Amino acid sequence: MLKYQEIALKIEKKIHFENLEQGSRLPSLGELITQYQVSKSTIVKSLAVLENRGIIFQVQGSGIFVRKRKRKGYINFMENQGFTHDLEEFNLTSTILNLEIIYPNEEIMNNLNCSANEEVYWAKRIRYINGQTLCVEESYYKKEIVPYLNKEILNDSIFEYLQNALNINIGYSDKYLKVGKINTELAAQLQLPDKSPALFVEELFYLNTGEPFDFSKTIYNYEHSQFFLQGSNAKN
Amino acid sequence: MLKYQEIALKIEKKIHFENLEQGSRLPSLGELITQYQVSKSTIVKSLAVLENRGIIFQVQGSGIFVRKRKRKGYINFMENQGFTHDLEEFNLTSTILNLEIIYPNEEIMNNLNCSANEEVYWAKRIRYINGQTLCVEESYYKKEIVPYLNKEILNDSIFEYLQNALNINIGYSDKYLKVGKINTELAAQLQLPDKSPALFVEELFYLNTGEPFDFSKTIYNYEHSQFFLQGSNAKN
């Protein structure tokens, strides 16, 4: 973990464990520099991370404040898959339907930027939220990058394994989403009537070199999934 | 516009107009400091903005690179409403169904944190993408913060008006989303069969003081809407 990530995590944990309210003022930039004994640009980067994750907001010339969302019971849309998080309020479990090494079809080749004879791990899971079906998820991992996977790892946090055990540097991800109707197979897996509405999400995870290594397709049960997303004007 | 936002915009425009490819290397941090004649912490902040908007990725010890997504024809989910953007690939138009000043009901009061006798602008629009129905959108603006609105402003970029004409400092937004089925009224407005699937999005926009001032409810036509979202590991 890099220094700015470490400091960001420390500030986040402090906000969480001290249960600071929406709008609470944090120490100033100068005070944070003294407190954490790091450079100004490290603190600036830590604060940018926290601002973009919706944990703080910064007002130029006025201060740094705690940001809390109004509604509970929503899943963090940006952090519910790969970038798993410690402080979740839900009980998430899963059943593995499939885990094997395959050769990719056209769709997987296009997304993972690989050739037909490059081996790929194919993992298929049903995930549950508080005991109810949340989604069906199929993931394809380039075996060249992820040489070993088993069911135990899949049941834990796979991204923790990739980052900590395999030392894979995950760079970023692209999500694509649309709404549609589910087919009979998905309906059975999600325990819903045929042709029910659903959110279809495809996601590509990249190494920090820009190479895609994980392509995932997830279909959510519309009755048990609602999400939140936090935007920051710092994006502008 | 603050200095770091200005520099971020300059770098983004450069990438756009020079049509730089995925993975193209940008000048180093030191070179950018010299080129734009700003401090290290300003450049660090500009780069954090660009990284979180999915325009660049940074590899510690290696460099700063252009990031491009693989798929075209998807709408930017984080930037399609309030935080409008110059370089869009779609033709977005709208029809205003309603614009009037009302007193808020329970739902609006809860979301905007206001009382029953505080006036609110209520705007209802159908938005079109390339001539087809994209969504039905209802927005509620606190009149105390947005004292004047008309149809012309609504047809333009309302957020540009808020920021530039009214000098409103937009801080951040929370989005809440779920999938469901549309009723007969929405079906007529979206030109879809009754009970079609749809994405339901509620969004709260806050001033940079943390006060909510705009509550919006948007229902998307599932046949004409597909979205992308870009994640960054810098979020971790």
Coordinates of all heavy atoms in Angstrom, one line a residue, chain A residues 2 22 40-41 48-49 52-53 57 59-60 67 69-71 74 77 83 110-111 163 170-177 179 197 202 208 222 226-231 233-235, chain B residues 2 22 40-41 48-49 52-53 57 59-60 67 69-71 77-78 83 110-111 170-177 179 197 202 208 222 226-231 233-235:
Chain A
L2 N 0.5 2.2 -0.9 CA 1.3 3.4 -0.9 C 1.0 4.4 0.2 O -0.1 4.2 0.8 CB 1.1 4.1 -2.3 CG 1.5 3.2 -3.5 CD1 1.0 3.9 -4.8 CD2 3.0 3.1 -3.5
Q22 N -22.3 13.8 9.5 CA -22.3 14.6 8.2 C -22.0 16.1 8.6 O -22.5 16.6 9.5 CB -23.7 14.6 7.6 CG -24.1 15.7 6.7 CD -23.5 15.5 5.3 OE1 -23.1 14.5 4.9 NE2 -23.4 16.6 4.5
K40 N 2.9 17.7 1.8 CA 1.7 18.3 1.4 C 1.0 17.5 0.3 O -0.2 17.3 0.2 CB 1.9 19.8 1.0 CG 0.6 20.5 0.7 CD 0.8 22.0 0.3 CE -0.5 22.6 -0.1 NZ -0.3 23.9 -0.7
S41 N 1.9 17.1 -0.7 CA 1.3 16.5 -1.9 C 0.7 15.1 -1.6 O -0.2 14.6 -2.2 CB 2.2 16.5 -3.1 OG 3.4 15.8 -2.8
A48 N -7.9 13.6 -2.0 CA -8.6 13.5 -3.3 C -9.2 12.1 -3.3 O -10.3 11.9 -3.8 CB -7.6 13.7 -4.4
V49 N -8.5 11.1 -2.8 CA -9.1 9.7 -2.8 C -10.3 9.7 -1.9 O -11.4 9.1 -2.3 CB -8.0 8.7 -2.2 CG1 -8.7 7.4 -1.8 CG2 -6.9 8.5 -3.1
N52 N -13.2 11.5 -3.6 CA -13.8 10.8 -4.7 C -14.5 9.5 -4.3 O -15.4 9.0 -5.0 CB -12.7 10.5 -5.8 CG -12.6 11.6 -6.7 OD1 -13.5 11.9 -7.5 ND2 -11.5 12.4 -6.6
R53 N -14.2 9.0 -3.1 CA -15.0 7.9 -2.6 C -16.2 8.4 -1.8 O -16.9 7.5 -1.2 CB -14.1 7.0 -1.7 CG -13.0 6.2 -2.6 CD -12.3 5.1 -1.9 NE -13.3 4.3 -1.2 CZ -13.2 4.0 0.1 NH1 -12.2 4.4 0.9 NH2 -14.1 3.2 0.7
F57 N -15.9 16.0 2.0 CA -15.9 17.0 0.9 C -15.1 18.2 1.4 O -14.9 18.5 2.6 CB -17.3 17.4 0.5 CG -18.2 18.1 1.6 CD1 -18.3 19.4 1.7 CD2 -18.9 17.3 2.5 CE1 -19.1 20.0 2.7 CE2 -19.7 17.8 3.5 CZ -19.8 19.2 3.6
V59 N -14.1 22.3 1.0 CA -14.5 23.6 0.6 C -13.3 24.5 0.6 O -12.8 24.8 1.6 CB -15.6 24.1 1.5 CG1 -16.2 25.4 0.9 CG2 -16.8 23.1 1.6
Q60 N -12.9 24.9 -0.6 CA -11.8 25.8 -0.8 C -11.9 27.0 0.2 O -12.9 27.7 0.2 CB -11.7 26.3 -2.2 CG -10.4 26.8 -2.7 CD -9.4 25.7 -3.1 OE1 -9.8 24.5 -3.2 NE2 -8.1 26.1 -3.3
R67 N -18.6 13.6 5.0 CA -19.7 13.4 4.1 C -20.4 12.1 4.4 O -19.7 11.1 4.4 CB -19.3 13.5 2.6 CG -20.4 13.2 1.7 CD -19.9 13.4 0.2 NE -20.9 12.9 -0.7 CZ -20.7 12.7 -2.0 NH1 -19.6 12.9 -2.5 NH2 -21.7 12.2 -2.7
R69 N -24.0 9.7 3.5 CA -25.2 9.7 2.6 C -26.4 9.5 3.5 O -26.3 9.0 4.7 CB -25.1 8.6 1.6 CG -25.2 7.2 2.1 CD -24.6 6.2 1.1 NE -24.0 5.1 1.9 CZ -24.7 4.0 2.3 NH1 -26.0 3.9 2.0 NH2 -24.1 3.1 2.9
K70 N -27.6 10.0 3.0 CA -28.8 10.0 3.8 C -29.4 8.6 4.0 O -30.1 8.3 5.0 CB -29.9 10.8 3.1 CG -29.8 12.3 3.4 CD -30.9 13.0 2.5 CE -32.2 13.4 3.4 NZ -32.0 14.5 4.2
R71 N -29.3 7.7 3.0 CA -30.1 6.5 3.0 C -29.2 5.3 3.4 O -28.1 5.2 2.9 CB -30.8 6.3 1.7 CG -31.6 7.4 1.2 CD -32.3 7.1 -0.1 NE -33.0 8.2 -0.6 CZ -33.6 8.3 -1.8 NH1 -33.7 7.2 -2.5 NH2 -34.1 9.4 -2.2
Y74 N -28.5 0.5 1.0 CA -28.1 0.5 -0.4 C -26.7 -0.1 -0.5 O -25.9 0.2 0.3 CB -28.2 1.9 -1.0 CG -29.6 2.4 -1.2 CD1 -30.4 2.8 -0.1 CD2 -30.2 2.5 -2.5 CE1 -31.7 3.2 -0.3 CE2 -31.5 2.9 -2.7 CZ -32.2 3.3 -1.6 OH -33.5 3.8 -1.8
F77 N -22.3 0.7 -5.3 CA -22.2 0.2 -6.7 C -20.7 0.1 -7.2 O -20.4 -0.7 -8.0 CB -23.0 1.1 -7.6 CG -23.2 0.4 -9.0 CD1 -24.0 -0.7 -9.1 CD2 -22.7 1.0 -10.1 CE1 -24.2 -1.3 -10.3 CE2 -22.9 0.3 -11.4 CZ -23.6 -0.8 -11.5
F83 N -13.3 -4.1 -5.8 CA -12.7 -3.3 -4.7 C -13.5 -3.5 -3.4 O -14.1 -2.6 -2.9 CB -12.6 -1.9 -5.2 CG -12.0 -1.7 -6.5 CD1 -12.6 -0.9 -7.5 CD2 -10.8 -2.4 -6.9 CE1 -12.0 -0.7 -8.7 CE2 -10.3 -2.2 -8.1 CZ -10.9 -1.4 -9.0
N110 N -12.5 -10.6 -27.2 CA -12.6 -9.2 -27.5 C -12.4 -8.4 -26.2 O -11.8 -7.3 -26.2 CB -14.0 -8.9 -28.0 CG -14.1 -9.2 -29.5 OD1 -13.1 -9.3 -30.2 ND2 -15.3 -9.4 -30.0
N111 N -13.0 -8.9 -25.1 CA -12.9 -8.1 -23.9 C -11.6 -8.2 -23.2 O -11.0 -7.2 -22.7 CB -14.1 -8.5 -23.0 CG -15.4 -7.8 -23.4 OD1 -15.5 -6.6 -23.2 ND2 -16.3 -8.6 -23.9
Q163 N -4.2 -9.2 -5.1 CA -3.3 -8.1 -4.7 C -2.2 -8.5 -3.7 O -1.1 -8.1 -3.8 CB -4.1 -6.9 -4.1 CG -5.0 -6.3 -5.2 CD -5.7 -4.9 -4.8 OE1 -5.1 -3.9 -5.0 NE2 -6.8 -5.0 -4.2
I170 N -3.7 -4.0 -9.5 CA -5.0 -3.7 -10.2 C -5.0 -2.1 -10.5 O -4.8 -1.4 -9.6 CB -6.2 -4.1 -9.4 CG1 -6.1 -5.6 -9.2 CG2 -7.5 -3.7 -10.1 CD1 -7.1 -6.1 -8.1
G171 N -5.2 -1.8 -11.7 CA -5.2 -0.4 -12.1 C -6.5 0.3 -12.0 O -6.7 1.3 -11.3
Y172 N -7.5 -0.2 -12.8 CA -8.7 0.5 -12.8 C -9.8 -0.5 -13.4 O -9.4 -1.6 -13.8 CB -8.6 1.7 -13.6 CG -8.1 1.6 -15.0 CD1 -8.8 1.2 -16.1 CD2 -6.7 1.8 -15.2 CE1 -8.3 1.1 -17.4 CE2 -6.1 1.7 -16.5 CZ -7.0 1.3 -17.6 OH -6.4 1.2 -18.8
S173 N -11.0 -0.1 -13.5 CA -12.1 -0.9 -14.1 C -13.0 -0.1 -14.9 O -13.3 1.1 -14.6 CB -12.8 -1.7 -13.0 OG -13.7 -0.8 -12.3
D174 N -13.6 -0.7 -15.9 CA -14.7 -0.1 -16.7 C -16.0 -0.9 -16.4 O -15.9 -2.1 -16.6 CB -14.4 -0.1 -18.2 CG -13.3 0.9 -18.6 OD1 -13.0 1.8 -17.8 OD2 -12.7 0.7 -19.6
K175 N -17.1 -0.2 -16.1 CA -18.3 -0.9 -15.9 C -19.3 -0.5 -17.1 O -19.3 0.7 -17.4 CB -19.0 -0.5 -14.6 CG -18.7 -1.3 -13.4 CD -19.5 -0.7 -12.2 CE -18.9 -1.1 -10.9 NZ -19.3 -2.4 -10.4
Y176 N -20.0 -1.4 -17.6 CA -21.1 -1.1 -18.6 C -22.4 -1.7 -18.1 O -22.4 -2.8 -17.7 CB -20.7 -1.8 -20.0 CG -19.4 -1.3 -20.5 CD1 -18.2 -2.0 -20.3 CD2 -19.3 -0.1 -21.2 CE1 -17.0 -1.5 -20.7 CE2 -18.1 0.4 -21.7 CZ -16.9 -0.3 -21.5 OH -15.7 0.2 -21.9
L177 N -23.4 -0.8 -18.1 CA -24.7 -1.4 -17.6 C -25.9 -1.1 -18.4 O -25.9 0.0 -19.1 CB -24.9 -0.9 -16.2 CG -24.9 0.6 -15.8 CD1 -26.1 0.9 -15.0 CD2 -23.7 0.9 -15.0
V179 N -30.4 -2.3 -18.6 CA -31.5 -3.0 -18.0 C -32.2 -3.9 -19.1 O -32.2 -3.5 -20.3 CB -32.5 -2.0 -17.4 CG1 -33.9 -2.6 -17.2 CG2 -32.0 -1.4 -16.2
P197 N -37.5 -8.1 -14.9 CA -36.5 -7.1 -15.2 C -35.2 -7.4 -14.4 O -35.3 -8.0 -13.4 CB -37.1 -5.8 -14.7 CG -38.3 -6.1 -13.9 CD -38.7 -7.5 -14.1
E202 N -21.6 -5.4 -17.1 CA -20.3 -6.0 -17.5 C -19.2 -5.2 -17.0 O -19.3 -4.0 -17.0 CB -20.3 -6.2 -19.0 CG -21.4 -7.1 -19.5 CD -21.3 -7.5 -21.0 OE1 -20.3 -7.1 -21.7 OE2 -22.2 -8.1 -21.5
N208 N -2.4 -2.2 -13.7 CA -2.0 -0.8 -13.8 C -1.1 -0.5 -15.0 O -0.7 0.6 -15.2 CB -1.3 -0.3 -12.5 CG 0.0 -0.9 -12.2 OD1 0.5 -1.7 -13.0 ND2 0.6 -0.6 -11.1
Y222 N -33.7 -7.9 -9.3 CA -34.2 -6.5 -9.1 C -34.9 -6.3 -7.8 O -35.0 -5.2 -7.3 CB -35.0 -6.0 -10.3 CG -36.5 -6.5 -10.2 CD1 -37.5 -5.6 -10.0 CD2 -36.8 -7.9 -10.5 CE1 -38.8 -6.1 -10.0 CE2 -38.1 -8.3 -10.5 CZ -39.1 -7.4 -10.2 OH -40.4 -7.9 -10.2
Q226 N -30.4 -2.7 -4.5 CA -30.5 -1.3 -4.8 C -29.2 -0.7 -4.4 O -28.5 -1.1 -3.5 CB -31.7 -0.6 -4.0 CG -31.8 -1.0 -2.5 CD -33.0 -0.4 -1.9 OE1 -33.9 0.1 -2.5 NE2 -32.9 -0.4 -0.5
F227 N -28.8 0.3 -5.2 CA -27.4 0.7 -5.1 C -27.3 2.2 -4.8 O -28.2 3.0 -5.2 CB -26.7 0.5 -6.5 CG -26.7 -1.0 -6.9 CD1 -27.7 -1.4 -7.7 CD2 -25.8 -1.9 -6.4 CE1 -27.8 -2.8 -8.1 CE2 -25.8 -3.2 -6.8 CZ -26.8 -3.6 -7.7
F228 N -26.1 2.6 -4.3 CA -25.8 4.0 -4.3 C -24.5 4.3 -4.9 O -23.6 3.4 -5.0 CB -25.9 4.6 -2.8 CG -24.7 4.2 -2.0 CD1 -23.5 5.1 -2.0 CD2 -24.6 3.1 -1.2 CE1 -22.4 4.7 -1.2 CE2 -23.6 2.7 -0.4 CZ -22.4 3.6 -0.4
L229 N -24.3 5.5 -5.4 CA -23.1 6.0 -6.1 C -22.9 7.4 -5.6 O -23.8 8.2 -5.5 CB -23.4 6.0 -7.6 CG -23.2 4.8 -8.4 CD1 -24.2 4.9 -9.6 CD2 -21.8 4.8 -8.9
Q230 N -21.7 7.7 -5.4 CA -21.4 9.1 -4.9 C -20.6 9.8 -5.9 O -19.5 9.4 -6.4 CB -20.7 9.0 -3.5 CG -21.7 8.4 -2.5 CD -21.0 8.3 -1.1 OE1 -20.1 7.6 -1.0 NE2 -21.6 9.0 -0.2
G231 N -21.1 11.0 -6.3 CA -20.4 11.8 -7.2 C -19.7 13.0 -6.5 O -20.1 13.4 -5.5
N233 N -18.0 16.9 -7.2 CA -17.8 18.0 -8.2 C -16.4 18.2 -8.5 O -16.0 18.8 -9.5 CB -18.4 19.3 -7.7 CG -18.7 20.3 -8.9 OD1 -18.8 19.8 -10.0 ND2 -18.7 21.5 -8.5
A234 N -15.5 17.6 -7.7 CA -14.0 17.6 -8.0 C -13.8 16.9 -9.3 O -12.8 17.1 -10.0 CB -13.3 17.0 -6.9
K235 N -14.8 16.1 -9.8 CA -14.7 15.5 -11.1 C -14.7 16.5 -12.2 O -14.3 16.2 -13.3 CB -15.9 14.5 -11.3 CG -15.7 13.3 -10.5 CD -16.9 12.4 -10.6 CE -16.9 11.3 -9.6 NZ -16.1 10.1 -10.0
Chain B
L2 N -11.3 26.7 -10.2 CA -10.0 26.8 -9.4 C -8.8 26.3 -10.3 O -9.0 25.7 -11.3 CB -10.1 25.9 -8.2 CG -11.2 26.3 -7.2 CD1 -11.5 25.2 -6.2 CD2 -10.9 27.6 -6.6
Q22 N -5.2 5.0 -26.1 CA -5.1 4.3 -24.8 C -3.6 3.9 -24.6 O -2.9 3.4 -25.5 CB -5.9 3.0 -24.9 CG -5.5 1.8 -24.0 CD -6.1 2.0 -22.5 OE1 -7.0 2.8 -22.3 NE2 -5.5 1.4 -21.6
K40 N 3.5 21.6 -7.2 CA 3.4 20.2 -7.2 C 2.0 19.8 -6.7 O 1.4 18.9 -7.3 CB 4.5 19.5 -6.4 CG 4.5 18.0 -6.5 CD 5.6 17.4 -5.7 CE 5.5 15.8 -5.7 NZ 6.3 15.2 -4.7
S41 N 1.5 20.4 -5.6 CA 0.3 19.9 -5.1 C -0.9 20.3 -6.0 O -1.9 19.5 -6.0 CB 0.0 20.3 -3.6 OG 0.0 21.7 -3.5
A48 N -5.3 13.8 -9.9 CA -6.3 13.0 -9.1 C -7.7 13.1 -9.8 O -8.4 12.1 -9.9 CB -6.3 13.4 -7.7
V49 N -8.0 14.3 -10.2 CA -9.3 14.6 -10.8 C -9.4 13.8 -12.1 O -10.4 13.1 -12.4 CB -9.5 16.1 -11.1 CG1 -10.7 16.3 -12.1 CG2 -9.7 16.9 -9.8
N52 N -9.7 10.0 -11.5 CA -11.0 9.6 -11.0 C -12.1 9.8 -12.0 O -13.2 9.2 -11.9 CB -11.4 10.4 -9.7 CG -10.8 9.6 -8.5 OD1 -11.2 8.6 -8.2 ND2 -9.7 10.2 -8.0
R53 N -11.9 10.6 -13.0 CA -12.8 10.7 -14.1 C -12.5 9.7 -15.2 O -13.2 9.6 -16.2 CB -12.9 12.1 -14.7 CG -13.5 13.1 -13.7 CD -13.9 14.4 -14.3 NE -14.6 14.3 -15.6 CZ -14.2 14.9 -16.7 NH1 -13.2 15.7 -16.7 NH2 -14.9 14.7 -17.8
F57 N -4.4 7.1 -16.2 CA -4.1 6.3 -15.1 C -2.6 6.5 -14.8 O -1.8 6.8 -15.6 CB -4.4 4.8 -15.3 CG -3.7 4.1 -16.4 CD1 -2.6 3.3 -16.1 CD2 -4.2 4.2 -17.7 CE1 -2.0 2.6 -17.2 CE2 -3.6 3.5 -18.7 CZ -2.5 2.7 -18.5
V59 N 0.9 5.2 -12.9 CA 1.6 4.0 -12.3 C 2.8 4.6 -11.6 O 3.7 5.2 -12.1 CB 2.1 3.1 -13.5 CG1 2.7 1.8 -12.9 CG2 0.9 2.7 -14.4
Q60 N 2.8 4.3 -10.2 CA 3.8 4.8 -9.4 C 5.2 4.4 -9.9 O 5.4 3.2 -10.2 CB 3.6 4.2 -8.0 CG 4.3 4.9 -6.8 CD 3.5 6.2 -6.4 OE1 2.4 6.4 -6.8 NE2 4.2 6.9 -5.5
R67 N -6.0 6.9 -20.6 CA -7.0 5.8 -20.5 C -8.2 6.0 -21.4 O -8.8 7.1 -21.3 CB -7.4 5.8 -19.0 CG -8.5 4.8 -18.7 CD -8.8 4.7 -17.3 NE -10.0 3.8 -17.1 CZ -10.7 3.7 -15.9 NH1 -10.3 4.4 -14.9 NH2 -11.7 3.0 -15.9
R69 N -11.8 4.0 -22.8 CA -12.6 2.8 -22.7 C -12.8 2.1 -24.0 O -12.7 2.8 -25.1 CB -14.0 3.1 -22.0 CG -14.9 3.9 -22.9 CD -16.0 4.6 -22.1 NE -16.3 5.9 -22.7 CZ -17.2 6.0 -23.6 NH1 -18.0 4.9 -24.0 NH2 -17.5 7.1 -24.2
K70 N -13.1 0.8 -24.0 CA -13.1 0.0 -25.2 C -14.4 0.3 -26.0 O -14.4 0.1 -27.2 CB -13.1 -1.5 -24.8 CG -11.8 -2.1 -24.6 CD -11.9 -3.6 -24.2 CE -11.7 -4.5 -25.4 NZ -10.3 -4.8 -25.7
R71 N -15.5 0.5 -25.4 CA -16.8 0.5 -26.1 C -17.3 1.9 -26.3 O -17.3 2.8 -25.4 CB -17.8 -0.3 -25.3 CG -17.4 -1.7 -25.0 CD -18.5 -2.4 -24.3 NE -18.0 -3.7 -23.8 CZ -18.8 -4.5 -23.0 NH1 -20.0 -4.2 -22.8 NH2 -18.2 -5.7 -22.6
F77 N -22.5 7.5 -17.0 CA -23.5 7.5 -16.0 C -23.3 8.6 -14.9 O -24.3 9.1 -14.3 CB -23.6 6.1 -15.3 CG -24.8 5.9 -14.4 CD1 -26.0 5.8 -15.0 CD2 -24.6 5.8 -13.1 CE1 -27.2 5.7 -14.2 CE2 -25.8 5.6 -12.3 CZ -27.0 5.5 -12.8
M78 N -22.1 9.0 -14.6 CA -21.8 9.9 -13.6 C -21.9 11.4 -14.1 O -22.1 12.3 -13.4 CB -20.4 9.7 -13.0 CG -20.3 8.5 -12.2 SD -21.6 8.1 -11.0 CE -21.2 9.3 -9.7
F83 N -23.6 17.2 -14.0 CA -22.2 17.6 -14.4 C -22.0 17.4 -15.9 O -21.3 16.6 -16.3 CB -21.2 16.8 -13.6 CG -21.4 16.8 -12.1 CD1 -21.4 15.6 -11.3 CD2 -21.7 18.0 -11.4 CE1 -21.6 15.7 -10.0 CE2 -21.9 18.0 -10.1 CZ -21.9 16.9 -9.3
N110 N -38.3 15.4 2.9 CA -37.2 14.5 3.5 C -35.9 14.6 2.7 O -34.9 14.6 3.3 CB -37.7 13.0 3.4 CG -38.7 12.7 4.5 OD1 -38.7 13.4 5.5 ND2 -39.5 11.6 4.3
N111 N -36.0 14.6 1.4 CA -34.8 14.6 0.6 C -34.1 16.0 0.6 O -32.9 16.0 0.6 CB -35.1 14.1 -0.8 CG -35.2 12.6 -0.9 OD1 -34.2 11.9 -0.8 ND2 -36.4 12.1 -1.1
I170 N -21.7 24.0 -6.4 CA -22.2 22.6 -6.3 C -21.1 21.8 -5.7 O -19.9 21.8 -6.1 CB -22.6 22.1 -7.7 CG1 -23.7 23.0 -8.2 CG2 -23.1 20.6 -7.5 CD1 -24.0 22.7 -9.7
G171 N -21.4 21.1 -4.6 CA -20.4 20.3 -3.9 C -20.3 18.9 -4.4 O -19.3 18.5 -4.9
Y172 N -21.4 18.1 -4.3 CA -21.3 16.7 -4.7 C -22.8 16.2 -4.8 O -23.7 16.9 -4.6 CB -20.6 15.9 -3.6 CG -21.1 16.1 -2.2 CD1 -22.2 15.4 -1.7 CD2 -20.6 17.1 -1.3 CE1 -22.7 15.5 -0.4 CE2 -21.1 17.3 0.0 CZ -22.1 16.5 0.4 OH -22.6 16.7 1.7
S173 N -22.9 14.9 -5.3 CA -24.2 14.4 -5.4 C -24.2 12.9 -5.0 O -23.2 12.2 -5.0 CB -24.6 14.4 -6.9 OG -23.9 13.5 -7.6
D174 N -25.4 12.5 -4.5 CA -25.6 11.0 -4.2 C -26.6 10.5 -5.2 O -27.7 11.1 -5.3 CB -26.2 10.9 -2.8 CG -25.2 11.2 -1.7 OD1 -24.0 11.2 -2.0 OD2 -25.6 11.5 -0.6
K175 N -26.3 9.4 -5.8 CA -27.3 8.7 -6.7 C -27.7 7.4 -6.0 O -26.9 6.7 -5.4 CB -26.6 8.3 -8.0 CG -26.6 9.3 -9.1 CD -25.9 8.7 -10.3 CE -25.4 9.7 -11.3 NZ -26.3 10.2 -12.2
Y176 N -29.0 7.1 -6.2 CA -29.6 5.9 -5.7 C -30.3 5.2 -6.9 O -31.0 5.8 -7.6 CB -30.6 6.1 -4.6 CG -30.0 6.8 -3.4 CD1 -30.0 8.2 -3.2 CD2 -29.3 6.0 -2.4 CE1 -29.4 8.8 -2.1 CE2 -28.7 6.7 -1.3 CZ -28.8 8.0 -1.2 OH -28.2 8.6 -0.1
L177 N -30.0 3.9 -7.1 CA -30.6 3.3 -8.2 C -31.2 1.9 -8.0 O -30.6 1.2 -7.1 CB -29.6 3.2 -9.4 CG -28.3 2.6 -9.3 CD1 -28.1 1.7 -10.5 CD2 -27.2 3.7 -9.4
V179 N -33.9 -1.2 -10.2 CA -34.6 -1.6 -11.4 C -36.0 -2.0 -11.0 O -36.2 -2.5 -9.9 CB -33.8 -2.8 -12.1 CG1 -34.7 -3.5 -13.1 CG2 -32.5 -2.3 -12.7
P197 N -39.4 -3.2 -18.1 CA -38.4 -2.9 -17.2 C -37.8 -1.5 -17.3 O -37.9 -0.9 -18.4 CB -37.3 -4.0 -17.5 CG -37.6 -4.5 -18.8 CD -39.1 -4.1 -19.2
E202 N -32.6 8.0 -8.4 CA -32.9 9.2 -7.6 C -31.6 9.9 -7.3 O -30.6 9.2 -7.0 CB -33.7 8.9 -6.3 CG -35.0 8.3 -6.7 CD -36.0 8.2 -5.5 OE1 -35.6 8.7 -4.4 OE2 -37.1 7.7 -5.6
N208 N -21.7 23.1 -1.8 CA -20.4 22.7 -1.1 C -20.4 22.9 0.4 O -19.5 22.6 1.1 CB -19.2 23.3 -1.8 CG -19.1 24.8 -1.6 OD1 -20.0 25.4 -1.0 ND2 -18.1 25.4 -2.2
Y222 N -35.3 1.4 -21.1 CA -34.3 0.4 -21.2 C -33.8 0.1 -22.6 O -32.7 -0.5 -22.7 CB -34.8 -0.9 -20.4 CG -35.7 -1.8 -21.2 CD1 -35.2 -3.0 -21.7 CD2 -37.0 -1.4 -21.5 CE1 -36.1 -3.9 -22.4 CE2 -37.8 -2.3 -22.2 CZ -37.4 -3.5 -22.7 OH -38.2 -4.3 -23.4
Q226 N -27.9 2.8 -22.3 CA -26.8 1.9 -21.7 C -25.7 2.9 -21.3 O -25.4 3.9 -21.9 CB -26.4 0.9 -22.8 CG -26.1 1.4 -24.1 CD -25.6 0.3 -25.1 OE1 -25.8 -0.9 -24.8 NE2 -25.0 0.7 -26.2
F227 N -25.1 2.5 -20.2 CA -24.2 3.4 -19.5 C -22.8 2.8 -19.3 O -22.7 1.6 -19.2 CB -24.8 3.7 -18.1 CG -26.2 4.3 -18.2 CD1 -27.3 3.5 -18.0 CD2 -26.4 5.7 -18.4 CE1 -28.6 4.0 -18.1 CE2 -27.7 6.2 -18.4 CZ -28.8 5.4 -18.3
F228 N -21.9 3.7 -19.1 CA -20.6 3.3 -18.6 C -20.2 4.1 -17.4 O -20.7 5.2 -17.2 CB -19.5 3.4 -19.7 CG -19.0 4.8 -20.0 CD1 -17.9 5.3 -19.3 CD2 -19.6 5.5 -20.9 CE1 -17.5 6.6 -19.5 CE2 -19.1 6.8 -21.2 CZ -18.1 7.3 -20.5
L229 N -19.3 3.4 -16.6 CA -18.9 4.0 -15.4 C -17.4 3.6 -15.2 O -17.1 2.5 -15.5 CB -19.6 3.3 -14.2 CG -20.9 3.9 -13.7 CD1 -21.7 2.8 -13.1 CD2 -20.6 4.9 -12.7
Q230 N -16.6 4.5 -14.8 CA -15.2 4.2 -14.7 C -14.7 4.2 -13.3 O -14.9 5.2 -12.6 CB -14.4 5.2 -15.6 CG -14.7 5.0 -17.1 CD -14.0 5.9 -18.0 OE1 -14.1 7.1 -17.9 NE2 -13.2 5.3 -18.8
G231 N -14.1 3.1 -12.9 CA -13.6 3.0 -11.5 C -12.1 3.2 -11.5 O -11.4 2.9 -12.5
N233 N -8.6 2.4 -9.1 CA -8.1 1.7 -7.9 C -7.5 2.8 -6.9 O -7.4 2.5 -5.7 CB -7.0 0.7 -8.2 CG -6.8 -0.3 -7.1 OD1 -7.7 -0.5 -6.3 ND2 -5.6 -0.9 -7.0
A234 N -7.3 4.0 -7.3 CA -6.9 5.1 -6.4 C -8.0 5.3 -5.4 O -7.8 5.9 -4.4 CB -6.7 6.3 -7.2
K235 N -9.2 4.7 -5.7 CA -10.3 4.8 -4.7 C -10.0 4.0 -3.5 O -10.6 4.2 -2.5 CB -11.6 4.2 -5.4 CG -12.2 5.2 -6.3 CD -13.4 4.6 -7.0 CE -13.9 5.5 -8.1 NZ -14.7 6.6 -7.7

